[in-house]
Amino acid sequence: MGLGSFGGGVGLTRYLAEQDASVTVTDLKDATALQDALEALQDLPIRFVLGEHRDGDFVDTDRVFVNPAVPLTSPFLQLARLRGVPLDSELNLFVRQCAGRIIGITGSVGKTTTTSLLGNILQAHDARTLVGGNIGGSLLSRLPDIEPDTPVVLEISSFQLEHLDWLGYSPPLAVVLNLAPNHLDRHGTMAAYQAAKEVILAHQTPDDVAVLNWDDLTVRDMAARGRGRRLFYSVQEPLEAGVYRDGSALVLASEGERRVLCHDSDLRLRGLHNLGNAAAAAAAATTLGVPPGTIARGLQAFTGLPHRLEWIADKAARLYNKATQGHTP
């Protein structure tokens, strides 16, 4: 339900069809709006119902896969539940079958940058590392390549976390960046939005790890819930254990020792918020046994994402970036 144009729906549809499933795709958008997605699937025997939903497609089926953009209050999903048809999702199907080491990252802002940063660090440590989830596309086709120790970094939205709650699943390594009002048109209240976000911790075991932002009081309070071990990061206060900012440096504190990972001038990312993203990625990497030197190199090599304070050039002691089309001293 809901093919969309972001890539995950296409990946899911192709994966199911290639497993010899009988697949019906239904979307309220018409063929013109979904042209690129339809072209990507034109070689497969798929039934399309576009511009509408039909009751029968949610009743006469073995399973309904729900796009994260579809509200769970949809009357068609309620009909499926009433008839006992299981609801599922692309991400749920992936985590059920993934043999690798899943790292899930969520937050109101900074998810994509932090996911990409951590992926960059881990790929320098282990070239098999995969990056996916809400960041775009689907990793279902990569399942045969994933071994038990393959790192898999997933950006996970609040919508996707609602789906994961159906499984009673939280990633063994979870990162929570921040929490601020967002998507309240979907969740209704801030409490409901926070509850969706906290699914990333809710089903952890004592053997799991949560990396949390010490500077966000709401996120800090999440440490009192869930059963996983806690590791914090901060750009405002020194920490006894974790990653924090000390002046212009990012410092790793562990077992009574402190090591400078890098200075803010070493990073191509700009802004205190991005230093926080770097600290989160570094803290997560330490829990996976990545050496501090590799973490530092991964942070320093990351050039950022398109249109997000994207570095273009340094000229005459001024930094130019695409996001603002301007410069900072």
Side-chain angles (χ1 to χ4, degrees), residues 119-141:
N120 201 61
I121 293 169
L122 294 181
Q123 284 165 352
H125 180 64
D126 186 338
R128 300 172 302 163
T129 298
L130 297 176
V131 177
N134 193 58
I135 202 168
S138 173
L139 293 178
L140 285 168
S141 64

Side-chain angles (χ1 to χ4, degrees), residues 39-92:
E39 288 179 355
L41 297 170
Q42 62 184 351
D43 60 319
L44 297 169
I46 298 166
R47 173 176 173 260
F48 292 97
V49 177
L50 303 179
E52 62 175 332
H53 292 316
R54 300 172 185 170
D55 288 357
D57 292 329
F58 296 86
V59 174
D60 301 323
T61 186
D62 296 319
R63 188 170 294 268
V64 173
F65 283 88
V66 185
N67 187 294
V70 175
L72 301 185
T73 55
S74 164
F76 295 99
L77 297 184
Q78 293 178 12
L79 176 61
R81 292 190 192 96
L82 183 64
R83 297 299 182 89
V85 178
L87 303 183
D88 210 335
S89 73
E90 182 271 338
L91 187 62
N92 285 19

Side-chain angles (χ1 to χ4, degrees), residues 18-39:
E18 290 177 346
Q19 306 304 308
D20 296 324
S22 177
V23 181
T24 293
V25 171
T26 177
D27 198 302
L28 293 178
K29 294 181 180 179
D30 61 21
T32 300
L34 296 170
Q35 180 179 351
D36 290 345
L38 295 176
E39 288 179 355

Side-chain angles (χ1 to χ4, degrees), residues 176 209-216 219-224 229-234 239-244 251-253 279-280 283-284 286:
V176 185
V209 178
V211 174
L212 304 174
N213 183 358
W214 179 263
D215 303 330
D216 187 305
V219 174
R220 190 194 303 182
D221 287 344
M222 292 180 187
R229 293 177 288 124
R230 291 350 189 189
L231 182 67
F232 290 99
Y233 70 91
S234 173
L239 301 174
E240 289 300 315
V243 175
Y244 66 94
V251 176
L252 169 63
T286 65

